[in-house]
């Protein structure tokens, strides 16, 4: 259907009607989206969406301090991270981040769509335009279909979304690009104008969409990328002021794609790798900080020797190979541990407190973590621990006991669900520590040895003979 | 906000050497203490000398065993 530009009067009428009809709209109903470009990246197990919105505040409306984004209830369930930046400046655009806060109780949106508001740092004046770039990641939204495949079959998945942007505002012009990992696309819903160019699908350009329109589309395509899902990850960071930060990580890994059915023929897997086991994976790459030492990779049986460590001055890469390749629905459990030098990670801030600077998230690349727990064990005698993480986590404090401990070590526990690679940002834990406490450990050893000698002396001085010696 | 990075009280590269030296010294002092006990008779012992030798020996042995632990990777 060819897009026809209605006259400005009709446009204003439509706009006024919208403003009146959907009554409890937020005061920023003067905003409308001039152009929206949505780029969906499906080359991987997670869905990454880059949305560029050019919004304009209508002349005659009030200052707008927030822009609303709408998501369907299923999208909100699987939303891992939502980030927004705004381009500032003319030539060299510096983008910084306005806060994104949930505001789901505003406006009666149809079918339970939830709203997230992006708070602008400077309000948008009437008649002004600005560009907002939004990134969000959805996990576990690609549905494998068929749900069970044999060893030599390719993995096909369903992706469901809307051809037009779901937005509480009027959209003047919008286009959606979907990028696939390979050329094989089984089927896709056609909502004219739709075109396909190799691995990219284009839905657009749609003009003049009413607020809260949703046109569902279904894309069935081949995705043989490794669907590595870490069901549980428990990371323990132990700080010792004698010079080492020891990190131990326990993983429960699963292949989250189409389940494997039938037998697994090792002969077929190894003799014809291009035709067999296309959707399986056997390697995983972990990115560790530089100057790492004493790396080990083991599980309950013992050490796993199929791993490689490559270090350079910026990073270390650990490539691990589990004992067997992982097909759909298969699990494996393992532990990775490594030590890091103290001076790279623990610093002293200006107010006298110490803090440790670590990276949140999972060091394995291209994985989704369903349940992440990070425990930071502070040295004995630390007081007032205070974590500062750039996003929401559950936090609590407990005590753990380790070598040569009397009172126990304060431990900060952080938990988060649905963690993706975009969560790998630094976070800090501040604490107070008096250096004199470091002497507590040698004092304990010295007193133990001293007591042994006192016992010797006491025994030698005691006279245990029945008769008096001459 | 980041200021200086924290360094250990003793450079990490010295741990194995310090461990060996301190344990050796501590064992020598402990040996001299036991020899003193064995060779002197009960009456001619002086408690003050015993306690000082013992204390110094235990200091060296204590620090030495700490550095042995640190050098072998058990960061206490």
């Amino acid at each position: 259907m060819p897009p026809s530009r209605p006259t400005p009067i009709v446009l204003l009428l439509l706009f006024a009607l919208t403003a009146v009809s959907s009554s409890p709209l937020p005061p920023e109903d003067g905003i409308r989206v001039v152009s929206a470009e949505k780029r969906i990246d499906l080359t991987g197990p997670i869905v990454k969406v880059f949305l560029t919105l050019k919004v304009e505040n209508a002349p005659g409306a009030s200052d707008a301090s927030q822009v609303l984004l709408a998501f369907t209830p299923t999208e909100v369930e699987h939303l891992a991270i939502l980030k927004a930046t705004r381009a500032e400046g003319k030539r060299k655009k510096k983008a910084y981040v306005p806060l994104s806060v949930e505001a789901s109780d505003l406006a009666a949106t149809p079918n339970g769509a939830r709203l997230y508001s992006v708070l602008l740092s400077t309000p948008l004046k009437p008649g002004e335009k600005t560009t907002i770039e939004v990134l969000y990641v959805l996990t576990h939204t690609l549905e494998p279909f068929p749900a069970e495949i044999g060893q030599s079959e390719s993995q096909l998945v369903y992706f469901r979304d809307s051809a037009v942007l779901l937005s509480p505002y009027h959209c003047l012009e919008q286009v959606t690009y979907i990028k696939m990992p390979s050329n094989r696309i089984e089927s896709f819903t056609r909502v004219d104008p739709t075109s396909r160019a190799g691995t990219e699908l284009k839905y657009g350009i749609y003009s003049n969409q009413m607020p809260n329109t949703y046109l569902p589309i279904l894309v069935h395509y081949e995705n043989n990328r490794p669907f590595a899902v870490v069901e549980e990850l428990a990371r323990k960071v132990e700080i010792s002021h004698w010079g080492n930060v020891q990190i131990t990580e326990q993983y429960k890994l699963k292949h989250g794609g189409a389940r494997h059915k039938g037998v697994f023929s090792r002969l077929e897997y190894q003799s014809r790798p291009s035709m067999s086991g296309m959707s399986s994976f056997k390697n995983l790459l972990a990115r560790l900080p530089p100057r790492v030492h004493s790396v080990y990779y083991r599980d309950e049986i013992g050490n796993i020797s199929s791993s490689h460590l490559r270090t350079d001055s910026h990073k270390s890469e650990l490539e691990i190979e589990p004992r067997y390749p992982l097909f759909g629905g298969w699990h494996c459990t393992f532990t990775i541990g490594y030590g890091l030098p103290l001076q790279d990670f623990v610093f002293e801030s200006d107010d006298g407190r110490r803090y440790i600077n670590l990276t949140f998230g999972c060091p394995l690349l291209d994985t989704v973590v369903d349940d992440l727990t990070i425990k930071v064990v502070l040295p004995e005698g630390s007081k007032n621990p205070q974590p500062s993480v750039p996003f929401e986590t559950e936090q609590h404090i407990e005590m753990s006991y380790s070598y040569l401990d009397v009172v126990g070590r304060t431990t900060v526990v952080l938990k988060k669900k649905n963690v993706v690679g975009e969560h790998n940002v630094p976070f800090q834990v501040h604490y107070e520590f008096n250096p004199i406490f470091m002497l507590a450990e040698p004092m304990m050893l010295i007193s133990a040895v001293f007591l042994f000698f006192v016992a010797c002396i006491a025994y030698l001085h005691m006279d245990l003979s029945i008769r008096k010696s001459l | 906000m980041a200021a200086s990075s924290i360094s250990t009280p003793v450079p990490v590269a010295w741990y194995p050497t310090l461990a060996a030296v301190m344990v050796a010294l501590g064992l020598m002092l402990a040996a001299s203490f036991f020899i003193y006990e064995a060779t002197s008779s009960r009456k001619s012992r002086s408690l003050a000398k015993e306690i000082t030798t013992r204390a110094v020996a235990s200091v060296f042995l204590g620090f030495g065993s700490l550095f042995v632990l640190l050098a072998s990777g058990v960061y206490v």
Side-chain angles (χ1 to χ4, degrees):
Chain A
M1 80 203 151
S4 60
R5 283 224 113 183
T7 58
I9 300 176
V10 179
L11 191 64
L12 268 173
L13 255 178
L14 263 176
F15 173 71
L17 270 173
T18 330
V20 165
S21 59
S22 46
S23 40
L25 260 179
E28 291 84 18
D29 57 352
I31 295 189
R32 51 168 196 239
V33 177
V34 172
S35 82
E37 183 182 312
K38 191 164 158 185
R39 287 189 178 268
I40 307 180
D41 186 351
L42 294 180
T43 62
I46 52 178
V47 177
K48 282 196 219 183
V49 182
F50 300 89
L51 186 57
T52 310
L53 287 175
K54 225 180 254 171
V55 296
E56 179 190 28
N57 201 357
S62 57
D63 277 4
S65 62
Q66 56 178 359
V67 175
L68 292 172
L69 302 167
F71 294 100
T72 59
T74 35
E75 276 180 343
V76 170
E77 249 178 65
H78 297 293
L79 192 65
I81 192 168
L82 173 60
K83 291 201 286 201
T85 57
R86 174 183 175 182
E88 284 274 301
K90 297 288 171 197
R91 285 286 139 189
K92 290 194 203 152
K93 299 200 170 193
K94 301 175 298 179
Y96 57 86
V97 185
L99 298 170
S100 177
V101 171
E102 188 171 335
S104 58
D105 40 355
L106 282 179
T109 43
N111 297 327
R114 298 269 292 278
L115 295 172
Y116 280 78
S117 74
V118 176
L119 301 170
L120 300 172
S121 51
T122 54
L124 199 60
K125 302 264 182 302
E128 229 183 73
K129 288 191 197 188
T130 186
T131 309
I132 297 186
E133 291 177 28
V134 180
L135 160 70
Y136 63 93
V137 174
L138 300 168
T139 56
H140 299 292
T141 42
L142 297 173
E143 184 196 325
F145 188 82
E148 291 191 358
I149 57 173
Q151 180 180 340
S152 48
E153 290 172 31
S154 218
Q155 183 172 259
L156 303 168
V157 297
Y158 272 156
F159 170 63
R160 291 167 216 272
D161 196 15
S162 157
V164 296
L165 181 68
L166 177 68
S167 167
Y169 306 121
H170 220 78
C171 263
L172 289 181
E173 198 181 288
Q174 56 179 292
V175 65
T176 304
Y177 295 97
I178 307 185
K179 190 160 164 32
M180 313 287 183
S182 76
N183 270 322
R184 182 173 166 194
I185 303 180
E186 289 286 304
S187 68
F188 57 94
T189 325
R190 283 199 171 269
V191 180
D192 286 322
T194 308
S195 68
R196 175 192 163 172
T199 56
E200 199 171 80
L201 276 180
K202 178 177 172 189
Y203 282 88
I205 299 175
Y206 303 112
S207 299
N208 272 328
Q209 294 295 325
M210 302 291 289
N212 297 322
T213 36
Y214 188 81
L215 298 172
I217 57 167
L218 181 69
V219 182
H220 194 199
Y221 68 101
E222 174 192 70
N223 190 346
N224 277 330
R225 294 293 168 95
F227 264 63
V229 173
V230 179
E231 287 179 317
E232 265 176 52
L233 170 54
R235 279 183 94 186
K236 189 158 85 154
V237 178
E238 288 161 309
I239 306 174
S240 160
H241 282 135
W242 290 103
N244 192 32
V245 174
Q246 181 76 21
I247 302 189
T248 317
E249 298 165 352
Q250 284 165 332
Y251 292 84
K252 276 203 181 85
L253 185 70
K254 179 181 137 157
H255 185 296
R259 298 182 65 86
H260 179 245
K261 74 168 180 221
V263 297
F264 170 57
S265 158
R266 173 68 75 168
L267 181 64
E268 203 183 307
Y269 178 71
Q270 282 189 297
S271 59
R272 277 192 285 241
S274 57
M275 275 175 41
S276 179
M278 289 160 298
S279 66
S280 68
F281 62 90
K282 58 178 192 172
N283 290 5
L284 283 169
L285 198 61
R287 183 154 290 153
L288 303 177
R291 292 176 289 277
V292 68
H293 65 85
S294 316
V295 184
Y296 61 86
Y297 168 47
R298 59 176 154 83
D299 67 2
E300 284 170 355
I301 301 172
N303 181 45
I304 306 177
S305 57
S306 51
S307 60
H308 302 275
L309 179 68
R310 295 172 203 109
T311 56
D312 67 25
S313 57
H314 297 289
K315 62 182 186 327
S316 313
E317 277 186 359
L318 174 67
E319 188 185 327
I320 54 173
E321 245 182 75
R323 294 184 194 270
Y324 43 87
L326 282 166
F327 280 82
W330 291 12
H331 298 256
C332 79
T333 321
F334 53 88
T335 309
I336 294 183
Y338 47 98
L340 298 161
L342 183 72
Q343 59 263 22
D344 286 347
F345 290 89
V346 182
F347 303 96
E348 190 163 337
S349 62
D350 298 329
D351 56 358
R353 290 192 306 170
R354 303 186 176 200
Y355 65 95
I356 178 164
N357 194 21
L358 293 166
T359 311
F360 198 84
C362 176
L364 288 179
L365 299 175
D366 293 332
T367 51
V368 176
V369 183
D370 283 345
D371 201 345
L372 173 65
T373 308
I374 297 190
K375 286 195 192 180
V376 181
V377 181
L378 303 169
E380 208 180 14
S382 314
K383 293 195 247 306
N384 296 336
Q386 223 179 345
S388 60
V389 192
F391 34 76
E392 219 181 285
T393 50
E394 281 172 37
Q395 303 170 356
H396 68 267
I397 301 202
E398 60 184 32
M399 280 296 199
S400 51
Y401 298 92
S402 182
Y403 309 111
L404 299 184
D405 274 352
V406 181
V407 291
R409 302 185 184 208
T410 326
T411 309
V412 177
V413 181
L414 304 167
K415 282 193 207 257
K416 188 162 176 66
K417 292 201 191 293
N418 220 1
V419 178
V420 289
E422 275 77 15
H423 281 120
N424 283 7
V425 288
F427 75 101
Q428 290 90 31
V429 178
H430 292 261
Y431 61 98
E432 286 165 10
F433 183 74
N434 197 349
I436 207 82
F437 273 109
M438 278 175 76
L439 276 182
E441 283 139 6
M443 280 301 139
M444 236 190 298
L445 289 167
I446 291 173
S447 52
V449 178
F450 193 66
L451 277 174
F452 166 69
F453 283 143
V454 164
C456 278
I457 291 284
Y459 167 69
L460 287 167
H461 273 262
M462 276 192 310
D463 194 7
L464 288 172
S465 61
I466 298 173
R467 272 188 313 170
K468 208 167 155 93
S469 59
L470 296 157
Chain B
M1 195 176 61
S4 54
S5 65
I6 295 196
S7 56
T8 55
V10 176
V12 181
W14 289 7
Y15 281 164
T17 328
L18 262 182
V21 164
M22 288 207 150
V23 170
L25 267 180
L27 282 176
M28 283 198 290
L29 285 169
S32 86
F33 159 69
F34 277 116
I35 290 172
Y36 176 69
E37 289 279 338
T39 53
S40 66
S41 66
R42 185 136 298 161
K43 289 186 187 55
S44 65
R45 276 180 207 167
S46 89
L47 196 59
K49 192 158 167 226
E50 276 176 0
I51 288 187
T52 44
T53 328
R54 215 168 50 214
V56 174
S58 66
V59 165
F60 275 107
L61 273 180
F63 268 110
S65 59
L66 171 77
F67 284 117
V68 164
L69 279 175
L70 289 176
S72 58
V74 178
Y75 278 90
V76 297

